[in-house]
Amino acid sequence: MFQDIQLPSGESYKQPLGLFINNEYVQSSSDETIESIDASTGKVIAAVQVADATIDVDKAVLAARKAFPGWRDTPAVQKRDLLLKLASLVEENVEILAQVESLDSGKPIATNAKYDVLAISQVLKYYAGWADKAQGQSFCPDSNTLTYTLHQPLGVVGCIIPFNYPLAMMSWKWTAIATGNTTVFKSAEQTPLSVLFFAKLVKEAGFPPGVFNVISGTGAKVGDAMSKHLGIDKIAFTGSTAVGQMIQKAAAVNLKPLTLECGGKSPNLVFADADFEQAVKWTAQGIFYNMGQICSGTSRCFVQDAIYDKFVDALAKHVEETYIVGPPTDPNVLIGPQISKTQQERIQSYIHKGIDEGCRVALGGLGLPDTIAQSEKHKSGFYVKPTILADVKPDYAVAREEIFGPVLVVGRFSTYDEALEVANDSTYGLGSAIFTQNISQAHKFASQVEAGICYINSSNQLDLALPFGGVKMSGHGRELGEYGLSNFTNVKAVYVNLGSKL
Ligand code: NAD
Ligand code: MN
C-alpha cells in the first residue's frame, strides 16, 4: 500500500497508495488503479488504488457521518488549535510537499509548487482564525421576545478537486472542517499523490478519525457516486463547467447545496493611459503563471488601438525573456509541462484553430519548445510553448472557449463602451482585469463587468480575506473570506418567548 518513490532532490519517501479513511490508509475494495504520470517526462510514477464507487465511497461517507457529531461539538478553540497545528506541520514539511506536488503535477518546484504549499499553510491559519469567531445575530423585537440565529455545520461535505492546484484547492475546502463539518475528498485523477501524502499530517496534527477522508478515482465513477450519495449533505466542487453541470444534476437527488468553482475566460483590458510596463508584466503573469492552468487566468486580452502594436511587441518580448521553459527542477524555470498528454494535445489544437481563424502568432506557436525538443529526458514531457495569438476577433473560438494552457489571445478596441461589451460577451464570469490611470473608468468597470472578481491594475492577486468565485457559467457560491463560511453552514432561526400569553 506504500511505495518508495524518489523525489527530484534524490531523497526517497513513502507514498501512500490506498485510501485514507478514519485516519488510516486502507486497501481499496476494487482492483482498479490510476497511474500518476510525471508530466515532465511522460513516465509513470506510481499507481494509486481507485475507490470502489459503492463499497469504498460508502465506507468513507460512513466514517465522516460517524465523526460528525463529535467534531461538530468539539470546542471551537480546540478546532482552532488543530488547524494551527496542521498549518505548522505543513510548514515543517514544505520541502517534501512541494516536491511531491511538483512530481505529480509538473509545477516548477522553486517558483511555483513551494508557493502553493506555503499558501495552504496560510489558508489553514486563516480558517483557524474563524473557527472560534463564527457567530449569528440576535434581535429583541419586543420585551417579551428574544430571537437569534445559529450558524451550524451542514454535516458531511464531499469535496471534489481539480488537477491544477491539487493541494491549494483542497486547502480552500478546509472551510468545511473549520465550520464543524466532516469531509470526504476526491483528488483529480491526474494528481492523486500530494493529497494522499498530506493526509498523514492531518492525523499527526491530532484531528479525530473520520473528519478528513481521502479517496482516489475517476470523476465519472467516484465523483458521480459522491454527487448522488444520500449520506453527503453538500458538494464543494472545483473544476470545469461541463462537470459542474453534471454535478448539479446528480446532486438534485437530495437537493444538495453546491459550491461550483468552474471555468473561465477572463478579460484583461489595457487602456492607452495605463502604466505601460506594469500592464505588460501583470498581463503576462495573469495568464502564464502555472502554465496557464488558472481558472481565473486573464486569457482574453484587449488593448486600446493607440498602443496596440507596441503592447503586443513588448508583451511578446517580456514573456520570451521572463517565462523560461524547462524542467520543474530548474530553479529559474517558470514554465513546466502541462498536466497531461490530453491537455497538451488539446492546447495545441486550439493554437492550430486560432491560426486557422486568422490570428497572428506573436510568440510561441505549435510544437515543442526548442530546449525541450533537444532534451532526451524531457522531449516526451507534456510541454507547450508560451503562446500569444494576436489580432484575435471577439467571435473566434480561441477568444470564447477556455484553453487552460499558456495561450493568450490579444485583440483591440477603441472605446470604453466597446471594451466593456467585449468583456461581458462571454458565457463565463470569473476574473476580470483593467489597466488604466483613470480612476472613474476603473471603478465603473469594476461595477459593470459581469465577473466574480475584478483586478484594477493587476491580475490574479489573491487575498484570503476576499471571496473567490464566479457568476454565469463560472459557477456559484464563494470560497475564502468571511463569505466562504456561509457556504458551509446553515442558518437556523430561534424564537424565545419570554412571556407572551395567548
Ligand atoms: P474537471 O472538471 O475535468 O475535473 C475536476 C474534478 O471533477 C476531478 O476530480 C474529476 O475527477 C471530477 N469529475 C469529473 N467528472 C465528474 C462527474 N461526472 N461527477 C463528479 N465529479 C467529476 O476539471 P480539471 O480538468 O481537473 O480542472 C480544470 C478545470 O477546473 C478548468 O475548467 C478550470 O477553470 C477549473 N477550475 C476552476 C477553479 C475555480 O475556482 N473557479 C479553480 C481551479 C480550476
Ligand atoms: Mn502527474
Side-chain angles (χ1 to χ4, degrees), residues 34 159-165 169 172-173 186-191 217-228 235 237-248 250 260-265 293-297 339 343 346 402 404 428 430 453 468-470 474-475 479:
I34 288 182
C159 301
I160 302 181
I161 49 188
F163 70 73
N164 63 332
Y165 282 95
M169 291 300 103
W172 289 17
K173 292 170 178 34
K186 190 196 87 61
S187 54
E189 36 276 68
Q190 301 89 340
T191 50
T218 63
K221 285 191 192 164
V222 178
D224 184 60
M226 288 169 67
S227 307
K228 290 181 178 145
I235 295 282
F237 167 76
T238 304
S240 62
T241 295
V243 171
Q245 289 177 297
M246 290 191 248
I247 291 177
Q248 185 151 340
L260 298 179
E261 297 277 11
C262 299
K265 188 78 180 178
Q293 302 165 138
I294 317 173
C295 52
S296 49
I339 191 68
Q343 278 302 105
R346 191 170 164 272
E402 185 182 48
F404 220 57
Y428 294 113
L430 188 52
I453 308 159
F468 190 99
S474 290
E479 291 187 319

Side-chain angles (χ1 to χ4, degrees), residues 211-489:
V211 170
F212 175 79
N213 303 282
V214 182
I215 54 183
S216 311
T218 63
K221 285 191 192 164
V222 178
D224 184 60
M226 288 169 67
S227 307
K228 290 181 178 145
H229 206 289
L230 297 177
I232 293 185
D233 301 292
K234 177 197 168 111
I235 295 282
F237 167 76
T238 304
S240 62
T241 295
V243 171
Q245 289 177 297
M246 290 191 248
I247 291 177
Q248 185 151 340
K249 269 191 206 152
V253 64
N254 59 343
L255 288 183
K256 278 183 199 70
L258 304 169
T259 318
L260 298 179
E261 297 277 11
C262 299
K265 188 78 180 178
S266 302
N268 187 90
L269 305 182
V270 184
F271 284 79
D273 69 348
D275 177 331
F276 188 85
E277 200 182 319
Q278 284 300 306
V280 166
K281 289 184 177 170
W282 282 107
T283 299
Q285 157 107 348
I287 177 63
F288 292 108
Y289 189 70
N290 207 45
M291 289 67 78
Q293 302 165 138
I294 317 173
C295 52
S296 49
T298 34
S299 53
R300 241 177 357 121
C301 177
F302 292 93
V303 184
Q304 203 162 20
D305 285 327
I307 58 162
Y308 178 79
D309 291 322
K310 189 175 155 210
F311 188 84
V312 173
D313 290 349
L315 187 65
K317 182 160 181 280
H318 170 70
V319 174
E320 182 158 36
E321 287 169 2
T322 313
Y323 289 78
I324 299 168
V325 182
T329 43
D330 181 334
N332 297 315
V333 157
L334 267 167
I335 305 273
Q338 307 304 129
I339 191 68
S340 64
K341 182 128 201 93
T342 315
Q343 278 302 105
Q344 181 194 33
E345 287 171 1
R346 191 170 164 272
I347 298 162
Q348 297 278 2
S349 81
Y350 268 114
I351 297 174
H352 204 271
K353 191 182 271 183
I355 297 168
D356 285 351
E357 286 180 302
C359 290
R360 168 172 63 89
V361 178
L363 182 73
L366 292 165
L368 283 177
D370 292 344
T371 52
I372 298 299
Q374 287 151 16
S375 154
E376 227 18 75
K377 186 169 177 199
H378 295 106
K379 69 180 184 200
S380 50
F382 313 134
Y383 285 84
V384 173
K385 291 179 192 166
T387 295
I388 298 175
L389 299 175
D391 305 344
V392 81
K393 297 282 181 324
D395 61 329
Y396 289 1
V398 288
R400 309 193 70 81
E401 295 168 22
E402 185 182 48
I403 300 176
F404 220 57
V407 180
L408 177 68
V409 299
V410 190
R412 51 168 83 221
F413 67 86
S414 31
T415 65
Y416 172 85
D417 287 344
E418 196 190 312
L420 178 69
E421 195 184 320
V422 167
N424 284 340
D425 180 19
S426 173
T427 51
Y428 294 113
L430 188 52
S432 62
I434 181 169
F435 295 87
T436 178
Q437 297 294 318
N438 177 338
I439 57 166
S440 324
Q441 179 166 264
H443 290 290
K444 196 169 165 192
F445 177 72
S447 154
Q448 294 183 320
V449 68
E450 294 163 2
I453 308 159
C454 180
Y455 309 99
I456 297 177
N457 293 326
S458 76
S459 178
N460 280 282
Q461 288 183 295
L462 183 66
D463 192 306
L464 304 179
L466 264 81
F468 190 99
V471 300
K472 302 203 277 189
M473 289 186 75
S474 290
H476 48 74
R478 293 292 179 270
E479 291 187 319
L480 302 178
E482 189 174 359
Y483 293 94
L485 303 174
S486 60
N487 285 263
F488 290 93
T489 47

Side-chain angles (χ1 to χ4, degrees), residues 36-39 45 103-105 190-191 339:
S36 167
I37 312 281
D38 179 340
I45 306 164
L103 192 64
D104 204 10
S105 68
Q190 301 89 340
T191 50
I339 191 68

